[in-house]
Amino acid sequence: TPPAQIRNFCIIAHIDHGKSTLADRMLQITGVVSDRDMRAQYLDRMDIERERGITIKSQAVRMPWSAGGETFALNMIDTPGHVDFTYEVSRSLAACEGAILLVDAAQGIEAQTLANLYLALENDLHIIPVLNKIDLPAADPEKFAKELASLIGGHPDDVLRVSGKTGVGVEDLLDRIVEQIPAPKGDPDAPARAMIFDSVYDSYRGVVTYVRMVDGKLEPRERIQMMSTRATHELLEIGVSSPEPIPTKGLGVGEVGYLITGVKDVRQSKVGDTVTTLRKPAEESLPGYTDPKPMVYSGLYPIDGSDYADLREALDKLKLSDASLVYEPETSVALGFGFRCGFLGLLHLEIITERLSREFGLDLITTAPSVIYEVTTDTGEKVTVTNPSEYPDGRVASVAEPVVKVAILLPKDYVGTVMELCQSRRGSLLGMEYFSEERVELRYNMPLGEIVFDFFDHLKSKTQGYASLDYEPAGQQTADLVKVDVLLQGDKVDAFSAIVHRDKAYAYGTLMTERLRKLIPRQNFEVPIQAAIGARIIARETIRALRKDVLAKCYGGDISRKRKLLEKQKEGKKRMKMVGRVEVPQEAFIAALSGD
Ligand code: GTP
């Protein structure tokens, strides 16, 4: 297809504003999916996506659309909506010339709509504002058309009104895409340059790489080169998704399609990288390649220690389809053998642990999420700490923590409560803006460490679910942070160490010692539970000693009863962990880590 007849666009929307439903309807109206084959959320392939109604992996679909006697190829590039995947969103946007800004006509603009809109504007995309779900009785298109027009400029009447559910207005939208979104530009004679905007692992075909051709042409059987690593592969198949894969004779300027090279690991085909050919390599790669960096770390431990090898295998498998997942082996006194894993954010963590349990049948304990601290020691050495156990105790000169810029959109009645919440999490107010009479945007600078720990849940419950949240990295700040350790009879229990602000150290220490006192059974001796900053004890609880030996009640005879009792104890011991001389049932650790 010549570039003049190509339109590349994406849909940006807040979660649940109906992106997938609209995409489904477009597939149906353009005839690429027959009514018979249609099923809801056609493009969301992963079960977990469909169940939770979220889109994790972006994909592209090509749809034919006739306008003014010509047939156009519309490439719709699906983008993930959640903050954790901002990098993937920005790569998908960079593959487009235009974006549909889709807003629920009963809800109005939300925090993620804004975040993605700003990304689209940074990428110079033409924006088509659209209100969705106009079939809903609660829809108020007049009001939200004004809101949208005042946000991006233009007249409220130019805001399209559609229903992805009934199909109303969707044909007009397709016409408008052809009319308004610019055709792609590129040099057909230049060396090939294609940007990878997605890379998906398929157990049958290996890695399927989605690309947007910028210059030149790619053809099957050619040797291609990844510009970031210089690795070369043979192009076994090249084609377009419509939405099932259709092999083609090649891809030219402006086209969007997929490549298959037989590689088995998405790390060899990284999002943001530029593909060129070995025969006529491009000199400069396309802008924008960065390795996604984990923001949040957590330990994953199998509840049953014999599942350790399975956990490793499962992580290796997940890594094939998710280049942003990082992990390394770790051992813990309390929890045994496990892995320290890095995630893009909390949703990413949740998705991975859920997939481990659902797809691989693993029962896991997840330790409290931690962010990355940069510690400077008294000798000026810099230490990166992603796990409290790496904290250079006693040698700390200063600690820097990651900070994020947070945007919260909420109804004005909740402003007071939410400000209190943000302040209690060490937020500093950057600004407040009214979007309409009822809706307000609050902007804060906040330590990421304060957000990863159940901030979102608190925000939702304090606003009856009406607030939406978005954040982006905003550098680091030094803060008065300390490491709090929890000790059982003087021995450190590693899984409970945490890096917290000094003002919150006491609260954390009391909480943990109290919790453990309730969970750890009495022993033959007295067990002190302490919380400490370095050598200074800040909280203490005591588990009193058992008065009698277990066998005491058996004295007086029956030897078989005595043996049975001992055997029963032995079985119990398998699930016991020793911390120094103290026996702790693993369940106690799990309960203490998961309680709130
Ligand atoms: P993510 O993929 O998670 O970002 O969500 P989404 O934006 O794709 O939303 P989705 O299409 O899953 O729709 C969310 C909910 O809104 C679903 O329950 C849909 O049935 C409903 N919905 C979507 N479009 C319409 C519409 O036009 N009218 C009505 N009444 N409901 C709609």
Side-chain angles (χ1 to χ4, degrees):
T1 314
Q5 274 153 275
I6 298 173
R7 298 292 182 271
N8 297 323
F9 71 98
C10 56
I11 305 176
I12 53 185
H14 188 74
I15 285 171
D16 277 349
H17 282 201
K19 191 171 70 181
S20 306
T21 308
L22 178 64
D24 285 351
R25 208 69 333 99
M26 286 181 166
L27 296 182
Q28 223 170 356
I29 289 174
T30 57
V32 299
V33 177
S34 68
D35 295 348
R36 192 170 49 94
D37 292 337
M38 196 66 216
R39 53 184 161 78
Q41 312 231 325
Y42 197 88
L43 297 173
D44 287 356
R45 295 289 165 89
M46 256 191 269
D47 282 348
I48 177 165
E49 290 188 10
R50 198 164 305 145
E51 266 170 43
R52 317 187 72 204
I54 51 171
T55 308
I56 298 161
K57 275 292 175 188
S58 46
Q59 270 176 315
V61 199
R62 179 176 165 125
M63 303 177 282
W65 187 245
S66 297
E70 272 184 290
T71 304
F72 291 82
L74 309 188
N75 292 309
M76 175 167 62
I77 292 168
D78 199 13
T79 53
H82 194 274
V83 288
D84 285 3
F85 304 98
T86 300
Y87 178 68
E88 286 187 22
V89 178
S90 83
R91 291 304 85 204
S92 310
L93 295 177
C96 303
E97 278 77 26
I100 296 171
L101 176 62
L102 189 70
V103 171
D104 186 325
Q107 306 278 329
I109 295 157
E110 298 285 356
Q112 269 144 47
T113 329
L114 279 183
N116 289 342
L117 173 65
Y118 296 144
L119 280 178
L121 292 172
E122 273 168 30
N123 278 287
D124 282 330
L125 303 197
H126 178 87
I127 309 288
I128 300 179
V130 178
L131 286 172
N132 190 28
K133 307 197 190 180
I134 53 160
D135 61 295
L136 283 178
D140 191 347
E142 295 310 316
K143 175 172 143 197
F144 292 119
K146 270 194 216 133
E147 204 179 77
L148 265 178
S150 78
L151 178 68
I152 58 168
H155 196 274
D157 290 345
D158 294 334
V159 175
L160 271 178
R161 286 136 210 235
V162 308
S163 164
K165 190 167 170 189
T166 66
V168 170
V170 177
E171 297 194 5
D172 289 343
L173 173 57
L174 290 162
D175 285 339
R176 201 169 285 196
I177 291 169
V178 170
E179 263 165 48
Q180 295 192 343
I181 294 181
K185 290 193 199 79
D187 182 352
D189 302 317
R193 289 201 296 178
M195 191 201 51
I196 301 179
F197 63 86
D198 200 5
S199 193
V200 183
Y201 178 74
D202 178 307
S203 45
Y204 297 104
R205 305 193 294 169
V207 173
V208 180
T209 302
Y210 290 87
V211 294
R212 150 73 196 260
M213 288 304 298
V214 175
D215 295 320
K217 192 169 167 33
L218 285 179
E219 286 166 339
R221 311 245 63 102
E222 205 159 12
R223 274 206 90 75
I224 56 167
Q225 185 168 50
M226 302 295 169
M227 293 190 71
S228 75
T229 57
R230 296 281 157 199
T232 69
H233 307 286
E234 188 185 348
L235 199 48
L236 301 179
E237 186 181 317
I238 184 164
V240 297
S241 320
S242 196
E244 300 311 324
I246 303 169
T248 62
K249 294 213 175 65
L251 291 176
V253 169
E255 288 194 288
V256 172
Y258 68 87
L259 314 175
I260 292 173
T261 60
V263 303
K264 292 276 183 242
D265 182 341
V266 288
R267 277 173 293 179
Q268 290 178 282
S269 199
K270 293 190 253 193
V271 172
D273 204 351
T274 303
V275 180
T276 189
T277 63
L278 192 61
R279 185 175 50 83
K280 192 175 151 194
E283 277 175 14
E284 233 179 284
S285 51
L286 296 162
Y289 176 72
T290 47
D291 261 323
K293 286 206 183 57
M295 306 263 279
V296 175
Y297 284 80
S298 178
L300 299 188
Y301 290 86
I303 288 183
D304 183 346
S306 63
D307 283 343
Y308 178 75
D310 291 345
L311 175 58
R312 174 192 291 277
E313 210 170 290
L315 287 169
D316 287 345
K317 277 214 182 104
L318 287 182
K319 177 91 196 173
L320 294 179
S321 63
D322 185 349
S324 53
L325 172 67
V326 297
Y327 53 91
E328 55 184 44
E330 172 181 78
T331 45
S332 149
V333 177
L335 305 171
F337 291 99
F339 291 91
R340 189 86 193 155
C341 303
F343 305 95
L344 298 177
L346 283 182
L347 179 71
H348 190 209
L349 185 159
E350 220 182 291
I351 288 167
I352 294 291
T353 49
E354 204 162 320
R355 289 187 68 187
L356 286 168
S357 100
R358 193 181 301 205
E359 293 168 31
F360 299 91
L362 291 164
D363 277 330
L364 300 175
I365 316 170
T366 314
T367 63
S370 163
V371 299
I372 303 172
Y373 298 98
E374 296 291 345
V375 179
T376 309
T377 66
D378 44 15
T379 55
E381 190 195 343
K382 301 242 187 246
V383 185
T384 303
V385 175
T386 59
N387 185 340
S389 69
E390 299 158 348
Y391 199 73
D393 280 315
R395 301 195 289 125
V396 176
S398 71
V399 188
E401 60 178 348
V403 182
V404 290
K405 231 188 226 151
V406 178
I408 301 167
L409 246 75
L410 71 168
K412 71 167 189 301
D413 295 348
Y414 299 105
V415 165
T417 354
V418 171
M419 282 179 132
E420 253 169 52
L421 173 67
C422 293
Q423 249 129 40
S424 76
R425 301 297 183 109
R426 296 192 285 132
S428 58
L429 185 65
L430 295 174
M432 174 166 143
E433 222 170 300
Y434 275 81
F435 267 104
S436 61
E437 264 166 43
E438 307 94 72
R439 277 150 37 83
V440 180
E441 182 190 41
L442 285 175
R443 289 190 311 277
Y444 273 90
N445 251 344
M446 224 185 273
L448 179 62
E450 297 282 348
I451 294 181
V452 298
F453 213 70
D454 68 11
F455 178 74
F456 193 57
D457 294 341
H458 280 280
L459 181 66
K460 283 283 176 192
S461 70
K462 284 193 194 306
T463 61
Q464 257 120 44
Y466 282 118
S468 60
L469 166 80
D470 196 76
Y471 58 80
E472 56 178 278
Q476 290 185 325
Q477 69 182 18
T478 53
D480 191 7
L481 300 169
V482 291
K483 186 176 88 162
V484 178
D485 291 314
V486 175
L487 309 147
L488 275 188
Q489 235 199 8
D491 285 309
K492 223 182 264 178
V493 191
D494 51 7
F496 295 101
S497 296
I499 296 169
V500 296
H501 193 263
R502 192 179 298 276
D503 293 347
K504 294 183 177 173
Y506 177 73
Y508 178 79
T510 345
L511 177 78
M512 278 314 193
T513 47
E514 267 174 26
R515 233 186 238 172
L516 284 170
R517 177 181 50 81
K518 289 186 196 135
L519 290 165
I520 296 175
R522 288 162 74 179
Q523 319 265 323
N524 290 328
F525 43 87
E526 191 179 276
V527 179
I529 309 172
Q530 297 161 308
I533 301 174
R536 193 164 59 86
I537 305 297
I538 56 170
R540 182 190 161 117
E541 295 275 340
T542 308
I543 304 173
R544 277 178 299 126
L546 265 182
R547 220 168 305 140
K548 277 189 194 126
D549 191 87
V550 235
L551 294 179
K553 55 176 172 274
C554 301
Y555 282 162
D558 192 351
I559 193 79
S560 73
R561 214 177 121 213
K562 213 183 266 179
R563 189 173 303 134
K564 237 188 225 156
L565 195 61
L566 285 171
E567 257 159 33
K568 225 167 154 191
Q569 270 199 339
K570 214 157 90 198
E571 233 164 67
K573 268 196 186 120
K574 273 200 233 148
R575 304 203 66 119
M576 291 283 183
K577 303 272 174 186
M578 295 298 293
V579 177
R581 279 205 302 144
V582 187
E583 271 184 357
V584 186
Q586 196 177 17
E587 286 68 32
F589 286 132
I590 299 169
L593 279 171
S594 55
D596 40 306

